[in-house]
Amino acid sequence: LFENLETDTYKHTIYQQQPEHFDTMGCCLSTETEIDPVTPPFKDEEGEEIVDNLPQGIQLTGALKLRDEGFTGKGLKIAVIDSGIFDEHPGFEGKVTRKKWFREGPDILHGTHVAGTIHMMAPDADLYDYRVFGATGATGVTRAIAESIRMATDAGCKLINMSLGGPSPTRPIKEAIDYAYAKGVILVCAAGNEGDNKIDTNEIR
């Protein structure tokens, strides 16, 4: 299920559950489940991380190796340009700061899931929340994305994550990306989510 605004054709996946229906990683739970929506604790009573409780997906993408080598994101500001983050979720441990929401609406699970993944990969990084998707808002998605990139750059973010996609390049976003890149910002964006409908294509490469 995708959101398609009348004036913009950017897409992100939106789920219909409410914030209480997802766990720390933003994984949707059944509305009838009796499971605690918070995943097992990642720190003990003394504040030490319980790495065995990290989700398998996080472990498979190298989180344990990063921790072993001392890379936890400490001192790093990361912008999440997405559908908004449920910053009150205890799994974020106060590491999320709402910077600018250009649009509003109830669907914030995609951005929360993305932010949760980043937080588990870099638990000491500060996450800056820029919301560009939502049912209502005075700013269109294209302009919201472009302005968010510039705002995040000026706020000192050294990494910008954009788990979103569109049908074609736009000048405002390209110019914003050029602006960030010139200042040494690393931009990470989704690609290939829709595939090409060819069974012999490696979609994850």
Side-chain angles (χ1 to χ4, degrees), residues 50-80:
I50 308 173
V51 294
D52 289 343
N53 282 349
L54 290 175
Q56 186 178 25
I58 298 300
Q59 296 186 42
L60 290 174
T61 49
L64 299 183
K65 184 175 186 294
L66 290 174
R67 284 161 171 73
D68 289 342
E69 296 179 358
F71 297 111
T72 63
K74 188 176 180 63
L76 180 65
K77 297 176 182 177
I78 302 175
V80 181

Side-chain angles (χ1 to χ4, degrees), residues 173-192:
I173 293 178
K174 181 185 183 302
E175 291 178 348
I177 289 173
D178 289 343
Y179 175 79
Y181 183 77
K183 293 181 177 294
V185 178
I186 297 173
L187 299 101
V188 180
C189 189

